[in-house]
Amino acid sequence: MRALPTPGRRCQIVRFAAVGGVNTLTFSACYLPLHRLLPYFAAYTAAFVTSMVGSFFLNTCFTYRTRPTWTKFLLFPLTQVTNYGVQSAGLVALVGWCGMNTAVAPLVAALCALPFSYLVSRRILRPSARTGPTTKAGPPPVRSGGPA
């Protein structure tokens, strides 16, 4: 059984959810106008990419409180591959199989992808201490001879 999240981790999850709310608004602000001009899936993809760039900066600076770097920026789309896949499959299923309205279906699909998105983005933007170089201070060297 897993331990409960620490208070710091809980705050991080709350910040992630807040960023998700902002991303949802950004996505909707892009998707809904584009939906009138483009096929729904093209509008969805353009809105997704736009909100992903915003998500990177909000998550690095606000959620995980880490410095944005070019490396993280270039890796961040990898964190969204799962998210995009889950959302895309959900969108197609909700619209094609369930007949859901194309203006609402992306929001429902996004909710299904949230847990995956959090875990993967945390892994990329806040790598564990084990992934970086280690500089452990070992015991002091033993000196031979003479009093200590």
Side-chain angles (χ1 to χ4, degrees):
M1 189 156 153
R2 290 192 148 200
L4 293 174
T6 62
R9 177 81 49 97
R10 279 191 293 263
C11 289
Q12 194 174 78
I13 292 169
V14 169
R15 289 191 306 264
F16 182 81
V19 168
V22 171
N23 288 340
T24 300
L25 293 175
T26 302
F27 174 85
S28 296
C30 294
Y31 177 75
L32 294 175
L34 290 174
H35 179 256
R36 293 185 182 113
L37 304 171
L38 302 170
Y40 78 92
F41 199 77
Y44 165 79
T45 301
F48 186 91
V49 169
T50 301
S51 66
M52 183 175 62
V53 172
S55 176
F56 167 76
F57 287 107
L58 288 172
N59 276 308
T60 53
C61 297
F62 179 68
T63 302
Y64 302 115
R65 299 179 189 226
T66 186
R67 186 174 55 91
T69 64
W70 281 108
T71 301
K72 289 176 186 176
F73 183 76
L74 294 173
L75 290 174
F76 191 72
L78 296 175
T79 70
Q80 297 298 305
V81 168
T82 300
N83 186 25
Y84 183 77
V86 171
Q87 284 191 36
S88 297
L91 177 67
V92 170
L94 290 169
V95 171
W97 299 342
C98 301
M100 187 176 281
N101 182 297
T102 59
V104 176
L107 302 176
V108 175
L111 288 174
C112 296
L114 277 175
F116 300 103
S117 180
Y118 174 75
L119 294 172
V120 177
S121 69
R122 179 174 167 76
R123 176 82 174 164
I124 292 293
L125 298 177
R126 288 294 295 212
S128 66
R130 287 176 271 141
T131 61
T134 57
T135 55
K136 288 185 179 179
V142 177
R143 297 174 75 183
S144 59

